[in-house]
Each structure stands twice: as C-alpha cells, then as structure tokens.
Amino acid sequence: WLYCRPCHGFLFDEDPKPAVPLRDQVSAGRMRPDPKQQAREEEAAAEAKRAKAKASADEDLKACLDKIAGMAPEDKALAERVHEIVTTTAPDLYVRTWYGMPAYAKDGKVVCFFQDAGKFKVRYATLGFQDPAALDEGTFWPTSYALTAIDDDVAAKIAELVKRAVG
C-alpha cells in the first residue's frame, strides 16, 4: 500500500475490486448488451408467456366444459346451447368459470355467465350479464334473463344480446 498525495488516496499493488461478472456490468450500465441477443431473449420470453397463456386458456375451457357436464340434464342442455351460441357469436371471448358457473370474459372481466337452476335450487336457469356488458338502455335495463328452454327465437335474442354486450 502506498499513499499518493496528489489524488489523496492509496495506491494498491493489485486491483482491490473483485472481477465483476459480465451480466452485472450490463445491468450496471457499464456495457451495452448485444441488440441481437437481447431481441432473441425478449422473443423467447414472449413465446414462453404466450405458451403459458394458451395452457391457462385450455385449462379454463376444460374447467368450464366440466362444470357444464356435471349439471342436471335440463340445465346441461341449456348450458351447452348457451355455450354454443356465445362462442359462435363472440369467439374472442375468453371461456372460464366464475364462482363455479360457466362464464365468458373480455379483457379479463366477465361479460356474461350461465347460472344453472340446480346450483341455487330455483325453478329456472339464468343468463346474466355483468357491468362490462354494453347493454345500457336509458336509465333502466335488465342484466339477467330466465331460461327454461331455448328455441330459435330465444337463440337469436341471446346472440343479439351477446353482440351488444361485447360492443
């Protein structure tokens, strides 16, 4: 150790700082990363995120179809028909379960759902719409509909409601 008066510090025979790993030099801003390598890493991360989202979507769809399969026969027939109408009318909606009911979401928020009669021991199933559904009609409008059967007229009405709800 030698003292250097002009710089008011000590001079070392060896560098007192340990070698800094390359990744730390990059993160500390001492070095620029290779743009091509950085682009490859970002693309790999994006691909992994897409694969995870796809797996999650598949799991949610399976959970929804399992809920429908576990319903009483009358409710199951209605739920299958509602599922067919909603997924055909608005294929971009995300299929999931919501409080144990089949539901259809947009941008992470449930737009509509099917509530089977057996779940709450009532005499009719319900097709309900949540706040993100754009069904506003003045200052008063329905947000749920009772279902006992689905004929062509009811199917057309459901399709029209889903189109309006999605916007």
Side-chain angles (χ1 to χ4, degrees), residues 6-68:
C7 65
H8 303 288
F10 289 95
L11 297 176
F12 299 95
D13 292 338
E14 297 179 14
D15 186 14
K17 297 178 185 174
V20 179
L22 186 60
R23 69 175 181 275
D24 293 340
Q25 289 180 22
V26 170
S27 65
R30 293 188 204 131
M31 238 176 108
R32 291 182 174 259
D34 177 24
K36 291 180 182 177
Q37 177 64 27
Q38 190 173 10
R40 284 191 295 269
E41 290 172 1
E42 288 173 0
E43 181 58 34
E47 182 62 34
K49 187 175 181 180
R50 283 192 293 273
K52 185 177 178 182
K54 175 73 171 132
S56 177
D58 291 344
E59 288 173 12
D60 286 344
L61 175 61
K62 184 181 181 320
C64 181
L65 295 175
D66 288 346
K67 283 291 180 184
I68 291 172

Side-chain angles (χ1 to χ4, degrees), residues 98 101-104 110-115 126-130 143:
W98 183 66
M101 299 175 284
Y104 308 88
V110 171
V111 175
C112 62
F113 62 92
F114 177 83
Q115 180 179 324
T126 305
L127 176 63
F129 293 88
Q130 286 297 106
T143 58

